[in-house]
Amino acid sequence: MSTKSTPTYWFSIVYDKRFWKVDTDGRIYDIYPNDDIAVLTAGPFVTGLDVDVIRGRVISPFLKYLPSTIPSGVFEINLREKYIVTKNSAVVYVTDISDIQPCVNALTLMWYYMDSKKIYLFKNGRIYTIKG
């Protein structure tokens, strides 16, 4: 008797011009249908990682810094460049990759109050506006 569990969705990636689902073990397990509705629901995205096509996995030493659940206000997390984009297009940089998870947790509610297209910095548990 074999038991096959259903993968638990973690985040999405863009690979080979398509949107792919990634489970909590880092395995690529499904592709979004090629329609406008699927594209709208494809987030959150994680970028700045590599794809092992043969094993069907995403690869990054920084995956361990992602929270197990990414809140709905987060649109993109770039692990290589250390920034987070909210759904209202605010960009939050972190100074250390280990701050990704606390920053994402802070953005659970904070993203509603952040100005669109502004740049912020998360440091020492606080979010600061960067003046441009």
Side-chain angles (χ1 to χ4, degrees), residues 1 63 73:
M1 175 190 271
L63 280 176

Side-chain angles (χ1 to χ4, degrees), residues 3-22:
T3 58
K4 189 174 182 180
S5 63
T6 305
T8 303
Y9 176 76
W10 192 10
F11 58 83
S12 301
I13 62 170
V14 177
Y15 180 73
D16 197 24
K17 299 180 183 178
R18 298 181 121 171
F19 300 114
W20 296 86
K21 295 179 183 180
V22 177

Side-chain angles (χ1 to χ4, degrees), residues 37-82:
I37 295 170
V39 172
L40 292 175
T41 61
F45 292 97
V46 175
T47 57
L49 42 76
D50 297 315
V51 175
D52 181 340
V53 179
I54 294 171
R55 291 192 174 116
R57 300 183 71 80
V58 293
I59 304 167
S60 174
F62 306 126
L63 280 176
K64 63 185 176 186
Y65 297 111
L66 287 177
S68 58
T69 304
I70 300 171
S72 63
V74 172
F75 178 74
E76 175 191 356
I77 300 172
N78 187 306
L79 296 174
R80 190 170 289 137
E81 301 295 323
K82 298 185 288 192

